[in-house]
Structures are given as C-alpha cells and as structure tokens.
Amino acid sequence: MALEGVGAARAQVVRTGVSVLSAVASGLLLFLSFPPRPLWFLAPVGVALLVLVLRRFGTTGSISKKSGFGYGFLAGLGFFVPLLPWIGVYVGPLPWLALAAAESLFIGLFGVLAVVVSRNRWWPVSTAAVWSLVEWARSNFPFGGFPWGRLSFGQPDSWLLPLASIGGAPLLSFGVALTGTGLAAVVCTLAARKKPAVRGRLVVAVATTSAASIVAVALLPTLVSNEPEAGERTITVAAIQGSVPRLGLDFNSQRRAVLDNHVRETLALADEVSAGRADRPDLVVWPENASDIDPLRNADAASEITAASVAVGAPILVGTVLVNDDRTTTNSVIAWNGAEGPGERHDKKIIQPFGEYLPYRSFFRMFSEYADKAGYFVPGTGNGVVHAAGIAAGIATCYEVAFDRALTESVRSGAEFIAIPTNNATFGDTEMTYQQLAMSRIRAVEHGRSVVVAATSGVSAIVSPDGSVVEQTPLFVPDTLVAQIGLHSRTTVATDLGAWPERLICISAALFLLLAVVRPRTTGNESVIERRNISEVRK
C-alpha cells in the first residue's frame, strides 16, 4: 500500500508538471501566432492546449478554480512576456514585466471562468464566450484598458479575417477562440472512454471547430475592394516617413530635425511630381509627432509646413503636439492647407496611460526615474473625422487603433478612408510596429475602408479594404508611399452594429456562468429530496 501511495504521488507530480509546461506552451503558441510571423493558425492551437489543461486533457474529473487561475496565469505569462518587450526597450524591464504580469491576471481569470462553465454540454461555446468576456474586460479596465494581444489582432492573414466585416475585432476573436475550443472538444471526445457515444459527439465537436471558418469563407465575396463603387471616387494619397535622427526616448530632443526630415521628404516628392515620375497626391499624410514643435505657436514651423504643402500641391495631415494655455498638451493631427494654413484637426481622444500621461505619478516615481518623462497630455473631443480638399479622413492616432470605438465613430461620421499616423521610434527595433500594422489591417476589413499608415520610423503602409498590404516601407529609413485608393461611403455590418456583437457574446458568457452557478445548487437540492424519498420508502 505504501508503494502504491508513492507511485500515485509521483504520477500526480508528473501530471502537474506536464500541465504547467503545457499551460506555458499554450501562451507561447499564442505569441508565435502574432506578426511579423505568418503563423496565425497557431492561435486556435494555443487556445485548445490551454483548454485541454483546464479539462485534464479529456480525462475524468475537473480541476479546481484555484488551479484554473494558476494555469491561466502561466499561459498569460507565456503569451505576454514575449509579446510586450517593446514596453521596456528604453525604460528597463520593470514596466514590461509588470504589464505582462497584470495582463496575465486576466488570462488567470479566464482559467477560473472556464472551469466554472466546463460542466455544461455546450462547454466549447461557453468557454469561447468566456474568453471574449475576458478580452472585453482587459480592453476596458483599468485605466481605460489595454487591448493589445487580442486574438483578432494576430489574424490579418487568416482565412477567419472576413468575420471582422460583420462583427469587428470582437467577433474575429470569438471565432478564433471557438475554433480552439472546438479542437479541444475533438481531442476530449477521442479520449473519452464511452466509445459508443464518440461518433455523435465527434460530429458536434468537428462542427464547432469548423463553424467560424465556414462563415468566414462564405463572407469572402462580400469584402469591400479598393475599387470605388458607383458615385464614389479614387484619390492619390501619399504617406511620408521622414524617420528620426536616432531611436529612443530622447528623439523629442531632436524635434526640429524630425520636422525637417518630413519637410525634406515631402519636398523630394514634390520634385518627383514635377518631373513626372510620381502622381500628384490629393492628400499627404504625415506621422504622429512629425512636428513636435507646435506650429500654431511657432511661426518657423508653420512656415516650413506651409512651404511643403504648397510645393507638393496638396493638403498635409500633420501629426503635431499642441501646447494648451494651461501647459498641458494634445496629440493632434491638423489638416494644413497650403498657404491657407491650418484647417480642421483631430485631438487624440484615447491617450496612453504611463506614456502620454501617468496616473499616480508621485507613486510610480518611487520605482522608476522615467516617471517624470511621461507626458502631460489631455484627451480631445470630436468624432475623429478631418476634412481636407473635400476628402473625409477618419483619424486614429497610434494607440487609438487598438480600440474598437475610435474608428467606429469616425466611419459612422462619414470617414471615406482611414489614416493612422503613428510614432514607433520609442520602441526601437521590436515587433511592436508589425503588431500595430496588423491592427490597421483588421480595421480595414472591419470598416471596409482603405487605411494609410504613416510612421515616423516605419513601418508605413497602404492597406486595401480587404486587409491586404498594397505597399509598405522598411524600418528606420526615410521613405514615401504614393498610391491610389478608393473613397468609400457604404458602411459594413460591423460598423452598423458597433459594439453589439461583443455585447451579445459577453451577455451569453454571463448567462452560461449564471447557469453554471445555479444548476449545481438545484441539482444538490434535488439529490437531497430524492434521498429523503428513498429513505421514506424503505421505512
């Protein structure tokens, strides 16, 4: 008996070790599914592996909610630690690891909730819905949320991408999660001991796995093309990548050099147009922070921008930093109309905590000397649409592209194409810029709009409404993209529905959780009554 006990203990240790390693591996698979790698298909596999850990790989019994949290947290670390090192490139590892750990708590929460809903017969659907519920939570809380790393943002090359056209990024994430939970259901069914019941369950599991893919493939013919429809028009747009003198947080000390770089690249484009080697643009897009010298207060900066706009013969959407009377700042995009000067503008509405502003600054100053380098930006207002030369541009500045509501409002307000001015110079030679470009590609499909990404140091890109990249620049070199894009006025189902697909998925997750909590109590009461009845019969 003693030997049997020792053997059982050793077996338990081995099972736990395998589960721990598998949980971490599931997170690594999710990371590997993200750009710049074209391995999007690893995301459902990563979800499936985590779900299998939470279901004891299809064997009998279930794990505790405490264990569910632990395995989920480990999966989160396996995912976010390699996904987010760009956070700490110039500020050290503490902010990077702290953020990775904070986001991993949400995956731990998923582990708990997945255990709770694991006992109903529809567990593949309920578990996928719970994943979406957790994505919604971490995209909104705390400090406005951090949507980076949503499953959908790793799927720009996936055949599931068309789902974004009817339900936006949330439905695409749900489709990936459902495919993964379906794969887990297939494995669990094949591992089941009750072989006579396998066939029927296997059919259901395979159907669950393939459901999102079938819907996505059916949607392919409905995607918006770059060609304008009747009554719409085509324009020529240019994206300027002026680059920066050097990478890092101190690029701001070279503000004039950054402005000069973008003016120089625009004047070079004007020369190409004059020589007949390039089409004259109808609109030019500069990156975020292209002019960190406030052109509304600095006549020299205004003069340079005006000269560039006049030379190229088109308005420029200028990414700039404006100083307010109270010495706070706004991260703005101004439509600069040649000699007429500044026109409409977009002030960034969703500003980045711990970057553009620092909550609890005095507290965080105790942990990092970089606390005082965080900005004093304030959020703007407006609908995110800027008009120039009769063109309605929907603006999402850098971080805003990660949030569903930003571009939904812009497109509903009449945006005919989307511009994403961004500055990634503070993140060095990391995968951040490719992760952000993937988000822009998802937004193109979600709203049926061409997307122009202008980055200070790269990657800049022109994205078709079907999510494909028409052109893109390399990193860390001055460059210019010139392309024809269609202006569109028709809205997609995703734009019309807005947040409702995500709301419905989250409501369904809440109902599954409520059912899971209520049913055991009901079953327990019924069991007590049944035992009493049997006792009375025996008497």
Side-chain angles (χ1 to χ4, degrees):
M1 293 294 292
L3 291 176
E4 290 179 2
V6 171
R10 287 178 176 174
Q12 179 61 37
V13 169
V14 170
R15 283 195 296 269
T16 301
V18 170
S19 295
V20 166
L21 292 175
S22 297
V24 174
S26 70
L28 288 172
L29 287 171
L30 291 179
F31 161 67
L32 291 172
S33 73
F34 272 68
R37 293 161 297 277
L39 305 178
W40 56 268
F41 48 85
L42 293 181
V45 178
V47 172
L49 182 56
L50 176 56
V51 171
L52 287 171
V53 170
L54 299 174
R55 296 188 65 82
R56 292 184 182 272
F57 295 95
T59 59
T60 56
S62 60
I63 68 172
S64 66
K65 291 188 282 291
K66 183 178 179 180
S67 295
F69 175 82
Y71 291 134
F73 183 73
L74 289 173
L77 290 177
F79 178 33
F80 288 111
V81 170
L83 187 75
L84 302 175
W86 47 268
I87 294 289
V89 169
Y90 297 109
V91 296
L94 182 59
W96 157 41
L97 296 176
L99 179 60
E103 293 302 306
S104 297
L105 292 174
F106 285 98
I107 311 302
L109 175 61
F110 164 75
V112 174
L113 300 182
V115 169
V116 172
V117 299
S118 65
R119 295 178 181 176
N120 70 69
R121 67 176 63 186
W122 301 105
W123 66 263
V125 178
S126 61
T127 304
V130 161
W131 181 282
S132 292
L133 177 63
V134 170
E135 274 202 358
W136 168 83
R138 74 178 189 84
S139 297
N140 288 275
F141 309 101
F143 307 118
F146 186 70
W148 219 274
R150 293 165 77 180
L151 291 180
S152 54
F153 292 157
Q155 300 292 303
D157 295 305
S158 168
W159 64 53
L160 295 174
L161 179 59
L163 292 175
S165 68
I166 60 171
L171 183 62
L172 180 53
S173 280
F174 176 74
V176 176
L178 184 64
T179 303
T181 57
L183 284 172
V186 170
V187 174
C188 290
T189 302
L190 293 175
R193 295 180 180 179
K194 297 179 181 179
K195 297 301 179 183
V198 165
R199 182 175 297 177
R201 292 181 181 178
L202 186 60
V203 170
V204 174
V206 171
T208 302
T209 305
S210 57
S213 296
I214 292 172
V215 174
V217 172
L219 288 170
L220 275 172
T222 70
L223 295 185
V224 179
S225 72
N226 195 37
E227 297 299 320
E229 298 180 354
E232 298 176 334
R233 61 186 173 124
T234 297
I235 65 166
T236 300
V237 66
I240 302 295
Q241 179 176 303
S243 200
V244 296
R246 58 180 179 270
L247 301 178
L249 295 178
D250 64 345
F251 86 95
N252 283 318
S253 65
Q254 302 293 313
R255 294 180 300 168
R256 182 51 187 261
V258 174
L259 172 58
D260 289 345
N261 285 354
H262 288 86
V263 169
R264 185 181 304 113
E265 198 66 24
T266 305
L267 294 177
L269 172 60
D271 290 341
E272 291 292 299
V273 171
S274 297
R277 292 188 293 268
D279 293 332
R280 183 177 299 279
D282 297 291
L283 186 65
V284 177
V285 182
W286 279 9
E288 177 189 31
N289 301 124
S291 176
D292 272 0
I293 302 172
D294 184 346
L296 302 185
R297 291 176 179 267
N298 187 292
D300 193 34
S303 177
E304 284 217 29
I305 297 168
T306 297
S309 179
V310 170
V312 80
I316 302 175
L317 298 181
V318 179
T320 186
V321 173
L322 303 180
V323 180
N324 302 315
D325 292 336
D326 61 358
R327 309 310 296 173
T328 60
T329 50
T330 58
N331 191 339
S332 303
V333 174
I334 303 176
W336 205 278
N337 301 294
E340 296 179 10
E344 295 184 13
R345 84 186 204 207
H346 165 69
D347 296 335
K348 190 175 183 181
K349 297 170 65 176
I350 306 173
I351 56 176
Q352 181 185 357
F354 304 97
E356 291 173 309
Y357 79 99
L358 184 64
Y360 311 118
R361 190 181 296 265
S362 59
F363 172 77
F364 287 107
R365 188 181 287 122
M366 295 187 295
F367 299 95
S368 175
E369 62 184 15
Y370 292 101
D372 288 323
K373 290 193 175 183
Y376 291 84
F377 286 84
V378 293
T381 57
N383 59 16
V385 178
V386 171
H387 294 86
I391 302 165
I395 311 292
T397 304
C398 194
Y399 186 62
E400 289 183 308
V401 73
F403 292 84
D404 299 333
R405 63 184 183 274
L407 287 170
T408 297
E409 181 181 14
S410 298
V411 177
R412 283 179 170 178
S413 300
E416 298 170 299
F417 85 100
I418 293 169
I420 311 291
T422 184
N423 172 29
N424 300 332
T426 51
F427 304 115
D429 188 10
T430 66
E431 296 181 357
M432 181 272 182
T433 190
Y434 300 102
Q435 294 168 9
Q436 189 183 62
L437 176 58
M439 299 178 196
S440 298
R441 296 175 63 187
I442 303 302
R443 299 306 183 194
V445 174
E446 181 176 358
H447 299 295
R449 296 291 187 273
S450 294
V451 176
V452 178
V453 180
T456 49
S457 56
V459 170
S460 301
I462 308 293
V463 181
S464 174
D466 63 5
S468 60
V469 177
V470 179
E471 292 184 72
Q472 73 177 60
T473 65
L475 285 169
F476 314 132
V477 294
D479 208 342
T480 297
L481 298 177
V482 180
Q484 288 192 334
I485 63 171
L487 298 181
H488 296 282
S489 56
R490 181 169 62 90
T491 55
T492 62
V493 174
T495 304
D496 292 337
L497 292 178
W500 276 107
E502 184 172 45
R503 288 172 184 159
L504 293 176
I505 294 170
C506 290
I507 289 171
S508 69
L511 292 175
F512 277 121
L513 288 167
L514 181 62
L515 182 64
V517 171
V518 171
R519 175 171 282 183
R521 294 178 180 177
T522 304
T523 304
N525 291 337
E526 291 175 349
S527 298
V528 170
I529 294 172
E530 184 177 350
R531 285 196 298 271
R532 287 176 179 174
N533 290 339
I534 293 173
S535 177
E536 290 175 0
V537 169
R538 286 177 177 175
K539 289 179 180 179

